[in-house]
Amino acid sequence: MLDYASVKEGAQIVLSTSSDENHPPENIIDGLDETFWATTGLYPQEVIIRFKSPINISSVAISCFNVQKIALEGSEQDNSDKFVLLSEQEFDRDDHHKQNEEIRVEGNKQVHCLRLLITSGYDHFVAVYNVKVNGRG
Amino acid sequence: MNPAAARPGTRGGQVAGGVALNAQVTVVDRPTTQQGLGGMKTAARGGRQVQDKTYYLGLIRSKINELNAEIIKLTKDIENASEENSSYLAYEKRAEALATEIRDLQGELGDYNTLVDKLTTDEDIQDVEFDCNNLKSQNDRDAKKIEELFDVKKQKEDQIQLLETEMDQERRMADNMVNDMKPEMRQHYMKLKELNQHLLRQLESGQQELDQLNSRIEGLQEELSQSQVKQEAVRLYDQLHELESKRNALQEEAKTRGSPAEEREKLLKQVKEDNQEIASMDRQSRELQEKIEQMQHEISQLDLDIEESQGERNQKYKELKKREESMDEFLNSFEENKAEELKKIAELETNITTLLEHMSRNMGRFTNLPTPKDLMTMKEDLAFKEDEMKKSETTTIELATQRDKLQQDLQKMDQFEEKLKEELVVIKKKADQMEKDVAMYSDLEKLRADAEAKKQKLMESRVILQRRRDTFKKQMQLLNADYNSLKAQLMENETYTQANFSTWSTALRPLKA
């Protein structure tokens, strides 16, 4: 399966509310499980991934840490405008372990930009290791 | 308006109902009779008009029936009563059992009550346990005591049995003895036995008589104590007894007494006899006294003699004893003294030898004593040398101070050295670093490549960041637009503006004042 949200497939991070020098948001789309994007405190935190071309998302797999509530929003335009809520999830608390969650997206919408909106976490800081987007190009 | 409907329960009403229901009676039409409203009587109420034989027979029959019923009832009662009587014993037994149960339960209730009491008074469980233990121990003690008493009782019983057996044995022995006796003796014994029994009987009867008499005395005394007159009489009787006895004594005296002359003679004779006797006794006593004195004199003489002889000998003896003691002492301590003295001698000898040695040495020196002139020079020498010594002492002191100073300097130098070493290490490190740097900078191509790569990377990130800035700007614009629209909406809201105005005015008031 193709992972559209990766550098290889031409995805880009166009916006992130936290940017640590050691843990930049690009770590989300580098395809490695060891690197991660770390937030710098406070909520909400968001990151916008732009794909090379609009795709139909069927599911999004996220591996993260300490995330409580997360919302996925999508936009058809490439200039990250007019976002529409795709899905909203609350993850269980899982101390000392990575949360590996898969969010199914219904509706078969064309999405060019995907926004991850972390509205609350189980601690002051959260980390996102990887985001994989499955769908049709 | 129907009277029958108003009072349906009464018998008269029901009987009268038959008539009254059919007749539409109104209260107003009703005649007020002498008996008030109750005056409205029907014919049925008046009883039977014709009373013939059959009627009375009927009456009697009904009465007989009633009596029979009553009799049956009574017999039943009797049966019941008899049944109850038979079951009474069983009930009594049960009652007893229940009473015991009640007693037990009451005891239990008492326990619970005390428990509740303890709970309400907030007593500690430990106190309760302590009390419980106390009671238990007391119970144990009581039980033990009882057991002891039981043991004592058993012992006593045993003793009694033992004594009884003993007595039995004795009796048998006595019987045996009697059997073994000679016929005469036996006869004698039997006689004595009979006498004994007879006397015992007599004693018993006498005792009984005595008891009777005693009881009688008691009764009479009681009687006496009750009446004063009798008491007085007793007193007077006693007096009378006394006086009678006195009179008897006086009568006796009077009988023995003769005429006065005879009497005087008799008395004189007696006096004379007495005087003689006294004189003789005096004499005797004097003689005895003399004898006693003599004896005492002798005794004193003897005492003196004894003392004299004994004193001399005693003194001598004492002296001898003392001497013996001293000699003993001397003998005992002789060895020690000897050892001591020998030791002393040895010491003195050593002393003497040392002194002699000293003297001989000095004698040897005496021969090479210097001349007075030499002495002078020597003295000068000595003075000079003393001077020198003083000087050297001062110099030593100076040197010591100098040494201290130098030591301090040395310490400082040591510290300095350490510092220098540290510096050296740092410098060496620096040199290493510099050497590395030199190596690095000598390879200019690599440096350039690195720089290029860095530049490339930075450019990339610049691009990314620019993109991000753009998106941010866009987002900002969007959000600003949202904000502005919301603000406009708020401003359009009348209540908000009014509220705002009022808050402003309140805020400004103190400024105006």
Side-chain angles (χ1 to χ4, degrees):
Chain A
M1 264 237 198
L2 267 178
D3 176 17
Y4 291 99
S6 70
V7 182
K8 279 184 221 157
E9 294 301 319
Q12 292 172 327
I13 300 286
V14 289
L15 184 141
S16 80
T17 49
S18 290
S19 188
D20 191 295
E21 212 176 317
N22 293 322
H23 307 288
E26 276 75 20
N27 283 346
I28 295 173
I29 53 166
D30 61 359
L32 297 173
D33 275 338
E34 298 87 53
T35 56
F36 58 88
W37 170 57
T39 68
T40 54
L42 297 179
Y43 297 98
Q45 296 281 350
E46 67 173 80
V47 70
I48 297 176
I49 303 167
R50 186 166 70 196
F51 305 117
K52 199 175 170 187
S53 56
I55 52 167
N56 275 328
I57 296 176
S58 59
S59 70
V60 178
I62 298 173
S63 80
C64 49
F65 188 68
N66 265 343
V67 173
Q68 192 179 6
K69 279 184 187 162
I70 190 164
L72 294 179
E73 292 177 356
S75 171
E76 270 183 88
Q77 269 94 40
D78 71 330
N79 53 2
S80 54
D81 210 358
K82 291 172 192 165
F83 279 99
V84 184
L85 187 68
L86 298 175
S87 178
E88 200 164 10
Q89 290 274 319
E90 180 159 353
F91 294 164
D92 292 332
R93 190 191 191 105
D94 194 1
D95 289 332
H96 320 299
H97 288 290
K98 263 197 242 177
Q99 299 160 311
N100 286 311
E101 307 279 348
E102 182 156 356
I103 304 167
R104 301 206 72 77
V105 178
E106 310 292 338
N108 209 7
K109 268 183 193 136
Q110 282 269 320
V111 172
H112 201 160
C113 288
L114 180 71
R115 172 146 80 169
L116 297 170
L117 193 63
I118 299 164
T119 48
S120 67
Y122 289 110
D123 207 337
H124 296 294
F125 306 102
V126 302
V128 179
Y129 289 81
N130 232 325
V131 172
K132 284 179 180 158
V133 173
N134 295 319
R136 283 183 288 104
Chain B
M1 280 291 136
N2 198 340
R7 2 191 314 236
T10 55
R11 220 169 130 220
Q14 260 175 352
V15 176
V19 184
L21 274 172
N22 296 336
Q24 280 292 335
V25 180
T26 54
V27 176
V28 184
D29 296 341
R30 243 172 133 181
T32 310
T33 55
Q34 249 180 329
Q35 287 79 27
L37 289 166
M40 184 94 153
K41 275 181 184 165
T42 55
R45 202 127 182 190
R48 200 178 167 87
Q49 298 288 319
V50 185
Q51 298 179 344
D52 60 350
K53 189 182 161 192
T54 51
Y55 167 70
Y56 284 113
L57 270 174
L59 259 183
I60 284 163
R61 221 169 270 147
S62 71
K63 286 286 171 199
I64 282 162
N65 278 342
E66 268 173 39
L67 277 171
N68 277 337
E70 194 64 33
I71 283 159
I72 287 161
K73 208 175 119 193
L74 282 171
T75 49
K76 218 177 266 173
D77 274 3
I78 286 159
E79 266 172 37
N80 273 351
S82 62
E83 237 170 75
E84 268 171 33
N85 258 339
S86 64
S87 60
Y88 174 72
L89 273 173
Y91 279 128
E92 210 167 31
K93 235 179 247 173
R94 244 175 80 191
E96 259 173 43
L98 286 171
T100 52
E101 205 181 337
I102 283 165
R103 215 173 305 135
D104 289 352
L105 288 171
Q106 268 174 348
E108 216 173 313
L109 178 68
D111 287 354
Y112 285 132
N113 275 340
T114 48
L115 190 68
V116 168
D117 224 34
K118 297 265 148 116
L119 279 176
T120 47
T121 50
D122 255 4
E123 242 173 273
D124 223 5
I125 189 144
Q126 278 180 341
D127 288 354
V128 175
E129 271 175 6
F130 183 71
D131 282 358
C132 177
N133 281 338
N134 263 0
L135 286 170
K136 211 179 265 177
S137 60
Q138 207 174 342
N139 274 349
D140 287 351
R141 248 179 284 146
D142 287 354
K144 219 177 266 176
K145 221 184 266 179
I146 283 163
E147 253 169 52
E148 274 169 24
L149 283 172
F150 185 71
D151 279 356
V152 169
K153 190 194 153 208
K154 221 174 178 183
Q155 254 176 341
K156 295 272 168 192
E157 272 174 2
D158 286 354
Q159 224 172 346
I160 285 162
Q161 216 161 3
L162 207 80
L163 285 170
E164 269 173 3
T165 50
E166 245 172 78
M167 263 165 76
D168 235 26
Q169 255 176 349
E170 290 290 326
R171 216 171 284 152
R172 227 171 290 150
M173 233 156 78
D175 282 352
N176 282 348
M177 266 169 80
V178 169
N179 284 339
D180 292 348
M181 267 179 207
K182 285 173 197 167
E184 293 160 36
M185 278 280 267
R186 198 186 292 175
Q187 234 168 10
H188 192 60
Y189 172 75
M190 293 304 266
K191 223 189 269 173
L192 282 172
K193 207 172 178 182
E194 261 172 45
L195 191 67
N196 184 25
Q197 274 172 357
H198 180 70
L199 285 171
L200 274 172
R201 244 174 282 141
Q202 233 173 350
L203 183 70
E204 213 171 300
S205 63
Q207 199 80 36
Q208 273 177 1
E209 216 176 318
L210 185 65
D211 282 352
Q212 267 176 6
L213 287 171
N214 269 338
S215 63
R216 215 169 129 204
I217 284 164
E218 262 174 38
L220 289 169
Q221 266 175 351
E222 227 167 86
E223 235 172 275
L224 267 178
S225 65
Q226 274 166 6
S227 78
Q228 236 171 359
V229 181
K230 276 182 185 171
Q231 269 183 344
E232 186 70 28
V234 167
R235 203 173 56 79
L236 287 172
Y237 264 114
D238 281 353
Q239 229 172 347
L240 196 64
H241 257 296
E242 230 170 90
L243 288 171
E244 269 180 0
S245 61
K246 223 180 204 175
R247 191 196 65 187
N248 285 343
L250 282 173
Q251 270 175 351
E252 290 272 305
E253 217 178 321
K255 257 185 218 168
T256 52
R257 205 180 283 169
S259 62
E262 272 176 28
E263 197 82 356
R264 200 193 295 158
E265 255 178 55
K266 209 169 150 189
L267 281 171
L268 273 173
K269 219 195 248 172
Q270 212 176 347
V271 165
K272 262 183 202 165
E273 272 173 21
D274 287 352
N275 275 345
Q276 268 180 354
E277 218 171 308
I278 287 163
S280 70
M281 281 174 105
D282 267 355
R283 222 183 303 132
Q284 262 179 350
S285 76
R286 226 176 290 140
E287 271 172 29
L288 281 169
Q289 222 140 27
E290 268 174 32
K291 233 183 195 171
I292 287 162
E293 267 177 34
Q294 217 177 325
M295 287 288 183
Q296 274 180 343
H297 196 70
E298 251 175 72
I299 286 164
S300 63
Q301 195 87 28
L302 281 169
D303 272 350
L304 269 176
D305 277 6
I306 288 161
E307 255 177 50
E308 268 176 28
S309 62
Q310 272 189 340
E312 271 177 34
R313 234 184 274 167
N314 260 350
Q315 253 178 344
K316 256 186 199 167
Y317 175 73
K318 273 177 193 166
E319 270 174 31
L320 281 168
K321 191 134 196 188
K322 247 186 224 168
R323 212 178 282 173
E324 199 196 344
E325 274 176 16
S326 62
M327 277 167 89
D328 275 351
E329 216 175 306
F330 178 74
L331 280 172
N332 284 335
S333 61
F334 174 74
E335 283 297 324
E336 271 179 41
N337 279 350
K338 192 184 162 196
E340 234 171 83
E341 291 297 326
L342 280 174
K343 218 193 216 169
K344 245 186 226 170
I345 285 162
E347 268 175 33
L348 285 170
E349 272 177 357
T350 50
N351 223 349
I352 285 161
T353 49
T354 49
L355 279 172
L356 280 173
E357 273 173 23
H358 204 66
M359 271 167 79
S360 64
R361 229 180 286 145
N362 278 343
M363 288 284 274
R365 277 180 198 156
F366 193 71
T367 49
N368 32 339
L369 266 177
T371 54
K373 205 180 164 188
D374 283 346
L375 186 74
M376 283 297 284
T377 53
M378 277 170 93
K379 268 187 182 170
E380 272 172 27
D381 253 19
L382 182 71
F384 176 72
K385 275 180 181 166
E386 271 179 354
D387 221 36
E388 286 285 290
M389 199 179 80
K390 267 182 197 166
K391 270 184 202 163
S392 59
E393 267 175 9
T394 51
T395 49
T396 50
I397 290 163
E398 269 172 34
L399 280 168
T401 52
Q402 227 161 347
R403 185 175 156 274
D404 283 351
K405 226 189 248 170
L406 285 168
Q407 207 118 33
Q408 279 176 2
D409 282 357
L410 185 70
Q411 275 178 3
K412 268 184 201 164
M413 290 305 283
D414 277 349
Q415 282 173 6
F416 197 63
E417 200 184 329
E418 266 176 40
K419 233 188 236 170
L420 278 173
K421 269 180 189 165
E422 279 169 26
E423 251 173 76
L424 193 69
V425 169
V426 172
I427 284 166
K428 265 185 185 163
K429 268 187 196 167
K430 252 187 200 170
D432 283 352
Q433 184 68 36
M434 280 176 167
E435 270 172 18
K436 268 185 209 164
D437 284 358
V438 165
M440 201 168 74
Y441 289 125
S442 58
D443 191 0
L444 271 173
E445 279 302 314
K446 197 191 166 200
L447 266 178
R448 208 168 282 156
D450 281 355
E452 203 64 39
K454 204 170 184 182
K455 195 176 157 194
Q456 195 73 32
K457 210 175 175 185
L458 284 170
M459 286 299 276
E460 269 172 28
S461 59
R462 180 169 167 257
V463 170
I464 290 167
L465 289 171
Q466 262 176 353
R467 203 167 54 222
R468 241 179 248 176
R469 193 191 65 190
D470 290 346
T471 44
F472 263 119
K473 265 182 188 166
K474 225 171 272 173
Q475 289 281 319
M476 279 288 285
Q477 273 171 11
L478 282 169
L479 288 170
N480 261 328
D482 273 2
Y483 169 71
N484 282 329
S485 70
L486 279 169
K487 204 173 177 183
Q489 223 175 319
L490 190 66
M491 279 304 171
E492 273 166 28
N493 197 327
E494 259 179 58
T495 27
Y496 171 75
T497 46
Q498 270 173 14
N500 223 16
F501 179 72
S502 62
T503 49
W504 274 110
S505 56
T506 48
L508 285 172
R509 206 166 293 147
L511 286 174
K512 274 176 192 168

PDB file of all heavy atoms in Angstrom, chain B residues 203-220:
ATOM      1  N   LEU B 203     -25.522 -40.769 137.945  1.00  0.00           N
ATOM      2  CA  LEU B 203     -24.938 -39.485 137.494  1.00  0.00           C
ATOM      3  C   LEU B 203     -25.903 -38.794 136.533  1.00  0.00           C
ATOM      4  O   LEU B 203     -26.162 -37.595 136.648  1.00  0.00           O
ATOM      5  CB  LEU B 203     -23.616 -39.748 136.775  1.00  0.00           C
ATOM      6  CG  LEU B 203     -22.852 -38.502 136.305  1.00  0.00           C
ATOM      7  CD1 LEU B 203     -22.287 -37.750 137.480  1.00  0.00           C
ATOM      8  CD2 LEU B 203     -21.749 -38.880 135.332  1.00  0.00           C
ATOM      9  N   GLU B 204     -26.428 -39.624 135.681  1.00  0.00           N
ATOM     10  CA  GLU B 204     -27.337 -39.041 134.687  1.00  0.00           C
ATOM     11  C   GLU B 204     -28.550 -38.437 135.371  1.00  0.00           C
ATOM     12  O   GLU B 204     -28.933 -37.302 135.094  1.00  0.00           O
ATOM     13  CB  GLU B 204     -27.785 -40.141 133.729  1.00  0.00           C
ATOM     14  CG  GLU B 204     -28.013 -39.624 132.322  1.00  0.00           C
ATOM     15  CD  GLU B 204     -28.240 -40.784 131.369  1.00  0.00           C
ATOM     16  OE1 GLU B 204     -27.335 -41.638 131.241  1.00  0.00           O
ATOM     17  OE2 GLU B 204     -29.309 -40.816 130.753  1.00  0.00           O
ATOM     18  N   SER B 205     -29.102 -39.237 136.278  1.00  0.00           N
ATOM     19  CA  SER B 205     -30.296 -38.735 136.977  1.00  0.00           C
ATOM     20  C   SER B 205     -29.953 -37.478 137.748  1.00  0.00           C
ATOM     21  O   SER B 205     -30.718 -36.490 137.753  1.00  0.00           O
ATOM     22  CB  SER B 205     -30.872 -39.819 137.885  1.00  0.00           C
ATOM     23  OG  SER B 205     -29.957 -40.158 138.889  1.00  0.00           O
ATOM     24  N   GLY B 206     -28.785 -37.532 138.435  1.00  0.00           N
ATOM     25  CA  GLY B 206     -28.347 -36.359 139.203  1.00  0.00           C
ATOM     26  C   GLY B 206     -28.212 -35.146 138.295  1.00  0.00           C
ATOM     27  O   GLY B 206     -28.666 -34.042 138.628  1.00  0.00           O
ATOM     28  N   GLN B 207     -27.624 -35.404 137.144  1.00  0.00           N
ATOM     29  CA  GLN B 207     -27.442 -34.294 136.187  1.00  0.00           C
ATOM     30  C   GLN B 207     -28.797 -33.717 135.797  1.00  0.00           C
ATOM     31  O   GLN B 207     -28.979 -32.499 135.760  1.00  0.00           O
ATOM     32  CB  GLN B 207     -26.742 -34.833 134.937  1.00  0.00           C
ATOM     33  CG  GLN B 207     -26.100 -33.753 134.080  1.00  0.00           C
ATOM     34  CD  GLN B 207     -24.750 -33.333 134.646  1.00  0.00           C
ATOM     35  OE1 GLN B 207     -24.007 -34.180 135.175  1.00  0.00           O
ATOM     36  NE2 GLN B 207     -24.450 -32.067 134.602  1.00  0.00           N
ATOM     37  N   GLN B 208     -29.699 -34.649 135.548  1.00  0.00           N
ATOM     38  CA  GLN B 208     -31.030 -34.192 135.152  1.00  0.00           C
ATOM     39  C   GLN B 208     -31.643 -33.340 136.246  1.00  0.00           C
ATOM     40  O   GLN B 208     -32.175 -32.262 135.987  1.00  0.00           O
ATOM     41  CB  GLN B 208     -31.929 -35.399 134.881  1.00  0.00           C
ATOM     42  CG  GLN B 208     -31.800 -35.877 133.434  1.00  0.00           C
ATOM     43  CD  GLN B 208     -32.626 -37.096 133.170  1.00  0.00           C
ATOM     44  OE1 GLN B 208     -33.330 -37.585 134.090  1.00  0.00           O
ATOM     45  NE2 GLN B 208     -32.547 -37.607 131.971  1.00  0.00           N
ATOM     46  N   GLU B 209     -31.487 -33.851 137.503  1.00  0.00           N
ATOM     47  CA  GLU B 209     -32.042 -33.111 138.647  1.00  0.00           C
ATOM     48  C   GLU B 209     -31.428 -31.723 138.712  1.00  0.00           C
ATOM     49  O   GLU B 209     -32.118 -30.720 138.877  1.00  0.00           O
ATOM     50  CB  GLU B 209     -31.759 -33.885 139.916  1.00  0.00           C
ATOM     51  CG  GLU B 209     -32.890 -33.794 140.928  1.00  0.00           C
ATOM     52  CD  GLU B 209     -32.564 -34.689 142.140  1.00  0.00           C
ATOM     53  OE1 GLU B 209     -32.054 -35.833 141.906  1.00  0.00           O
ATOM     54  OE2 GLU B 209     -32.789 -34.261 143.249  1.00  0.00           O
ATOM     55  N   LEU B 210     -30.113 -31.721 138.536  1.00  0.00           N
ATOM     56  CA  LEU B 210     -29.379 -30.457 138.600  1.00  0.00           C
ATOM     57  C   LEU B 210     -29.908 -29.493 137.539  1.00  0.00           C
ATOM     58  O   LEU B 210     -30.144 -28.311 137.810  1.00  0.00           O
ATOM     59  CB  LEU B 210     -27.896 -30.719 138.348  1.00  0.00           C
ATOM     60  CG  LEU B 210     -26.971 -29.511 138.507  1.00  0.00           C
ATOM     61  CD1 LEU B 210     -26.970 -29.029 139.949  1.00  0.00           C
ATOM     62  CD2 LEU B 210     -25.565 -29.845 138.035  1.00  0.00           C
ATOM     63  N   ASP B 211     -30.083 -30.032 136.379  1.00  0.00           N
ATOM     64  CA  ASP B 211     -30.590 -29.196 135.287  1.00  0.00           C
ATOM     65  C   ASP B 211     -31.939 -28.614 135.662  1.00  0.00           C
ATOM     66  O   ASP B 211     -32.208 -27.422 135.456  1.00  0.00           O
ATOM     67  CB  ASP B 211     -30.733 -30.018 134.001  1.00  0.00           C
ATOM     68  CG  ASP B 211     -29.391 -30.216 133.334  1.00  0.00           C
ATOM     69  OD1 ASP B 211     -28.418 -29.577 133.801  1.00  0.00           O
ATOM     70  OD2 ASP B 211     -29.304 -31.006 132.372  1.00  0.00           O
ATOM     71  N   GLN B 212     -32.755 -29.548 136.199  1.00  0.00           N
ATOM     72  CA  GLN B 212     -34.101 -29.094 136.590  1.00  0.00           C
ATOM     73  C   GLN B 212     -34.004 -27.962 137.581  1.00  0.00           C
ATOM     74  O   GLN B 212     -34.649 -26.923 137.451  1.00  0.00           O
ATOM     75  CB  GLN B 212     -34.871 -30.254 137.203  1.00  0.00           C
ATOM     76  CG  GLN B 212     -35.717 -31.003 136.171  1.00  0.00           C
ATOM     77  CD  GLN B 212     -36.389 -32.198 136.793  1.00  0.00           C
ATOM     78  OE1 GLN B 212     -36.298 -32.384 138.035  1.00  0.00           O
ATOM     79  NE2 GLN B 212     -37.038 -32.988 135.978  1.00  0.00           N
ATOM     80  N   LEU B 213     -33.163 -28.229 138.601  1.00  0.00           N
ATOM     81  CA  LEU B 213     -33.031 -27.219 139.663  1.00  0.00           C
ATOM     82  C   LEU B 213     -32.506 -25.917 139.086  1.00  0.00           C
ATOM     83  O   LEU B 213     -32.985 -24.832 139.422  1.00  0.00           O
ATOM     84  CB  LEU B 213     -32.101 -27.738 140.749  1.00  0.00           C
ATOM     85  CG  LEU B 213     -32.701 -28.846 141.637  1.00  0.00           C
ATOM     86  CD1 LEU B 213     -31.637 -29.426 142.529  1.00  0.00           C
ATOM     87  CD2 LEU B 213     -33.853 -28.288 142.483  1.00  0.00           C
ATOM     88  N   ASN B 214     -31.538 -26.054 138.250  1.00  0.00           N
ATOM     89  CA  ASN B 214     -30.968 -24.852 137.622  1.00  0.00           C
ATOM     90  C   ASN B 214     -32.035 -24.078 136.883  1.00  0.00           C
ATOM     91  O   ASN B 214     -32.130 -22.858 136.984  1.00  0.00           O
ATOM     92  CB  ASN B 214     -29.859 -25.244 136.651  1.00  0.00           C
ATOM     93  CG  ASN B 214     -28.503 -25.271 137.335  1.00  0.00           C
ATOM     94  OD1 ASN B 214     -28.326 -24.616 138.376  1.00  0.00           O
ATOM     95  ND2 ASN B 214     -27.573 -26.027 136.813  1.00  0.00           N
ATOM     96  N   SER B 215     -32.799 -24.836 136.127  1.00  0.00           N
ATOM     97  CA  SER B 215     -33.851 -24.163 135.359  1.00  0.00           C
ATOM     98  C   SER B 215     -34.841 -23.499 136.310  1.00  0.00           C
ATOM     99  O   SER B 215     -35.297 -22.373 136.067  1.00  0.00           O
ATOM    100  CB  SER B 215     -34.569 -25.156 134.436  1.00  0.00           C
ATOM    101  OG  SER B 215     -35.211 -26.136 135.188  1.00  0.00           O
ATOM    102  N   ARG B 216     -35.093 -24.206 137.433  1.00  0.00           N
ATOM    103  CA  ARG B 216     -36.026 -23.633 138.404  1.00  0.00           C
ATOM    104  C   ARG B 216     -35.471 -22.335 138.979  1.00  0.00           C
ATOM    105  O   ARG B 216     -36.161 -21.333 139.091  1.00  0.00           O
ATOM    106  CB  ARG B 216     -36.294 -24.645 139.520  1.00  0.00           C
ATOM    107  CG  ARG B 216     -37.726 -24.544 140.020  1.00  0.00           C
ATOM    108  CD  ARG B 216     -38.038 -25.713 140.928  1.00  0.00           C
ATOM    109  NE  ARG B 216     -38.589 -25.224 142.150  1.00  0.00           N
ATOM    110  CZ  ARG B 216     -38.550 -25.897 143.308  1.00  0.00           C
ATOM    111  NH1 ARG B 216     -37.918 -27.050 143.392  1.00  0.00           N
ATOM    112  NH2 ARG B 216     -39.151 -25.420 144.373  1.00  0.00           N
ATOM    113  N   ILE B 217     -34.149 -22.412 139.294  1.00  0.00           N
ATOM    114  CA  ILE B 217     -33.490 -21.209 139.846  1.00  0.00           C
ATOM    115  C   ILE B 217     -33.616 -20.066 138.861  1.00  0.00           C
ATOM    116  O   ILE B 217     -33.954 -18.936 139.226  1.00  0.00           O
ATOM    117  CB  ILE B 217     -32.008 -21.501 140.131  1.00  0.00           C
ATOM    118  CG1 ILE B 217     -31.886 -22.325 141.400  1.00  0.00           C
ATOM    119  CG2 ILE B 217     -31.223 -20.210 140.281  1.00  0.00           C
ATOM    120  CD1 ILE B 217     -30.523 -22.986 141.555  1.00  0.00           C
ATOM    121  N   GLU B 218     -33.369 -20.418 137.661  1.00  0.00           N
ATOM    122  CA  GLU B 218     -33.447 -19.362 136.643  1.00  0.00           C
ATOM    123  C   GLU B 218     -34.827 -18.752 136.604  1.00  0.00           C
ATOM    124  O   GLU B 218     -34.997 -17.532 136.575  1.00  0.00           O
ATOM    125  CB  GLU B 218     -33.094 -19.950 135.273  1.00  0.00           C
ATOM    126  CG  GLU B 218     -31.650 -19.689 134.886  1.00  0.00           C
ATOM    127  CD  GLU B 218     -31.269 -20.402 133.607  1.00  0.00           C
ATOM    128  OE1 GLU B 218     -32.133 -20.462 132.704  1.00  0.00           O
ATOM    129  OE2 GLU B 218     -30.139 -20.896 133.512  1.00  0.00           O
ATOM    130  N   GLY B 219     -35.821 -19.662 136.616  1.00  0.00           N
ATOM    131  CA  GLY B 219     -37.210 -19.179 136.589  1.00  0.00           C
ATOM    132  C   GLY B 219     -37.483 -18.292 137.782  1.00  0.00           C
ATOM    133  O   GLY B 219     -38.033 -17.183 137.645  1.00  0.00           O
ATOM    134  N   LEU B 220     -37.042 -18.766 138.953  1.00  0.00           N
ATOM    135  CA  LEU B 220     -37.320 -17.987 140.177  1.00  0.00           C
ATOM    136  C   LEU B 220     -36.602 -16.641 140.121  1.00  0.00           C
ATOM    137  O   LEU B 220     -37.160 -15.603 140.492  1.00  0.00           O
ATOM    138  CB  LEU B 220     -36.881 -18.770 141.404  1.00  0.00           C
ATOM    139  CG  LEU B 220     -37.769 -19.996 141.721  1.00  0.00           C
ATOM    140  CD1 LEU B 220     -37.119 -20.843 142.778  1.00  0.00           C
ATOM    141  CD2 LEU B 220     -39.151 -19.546 142.164  1.00  0.00           C
TER     142      LEU B 220
END
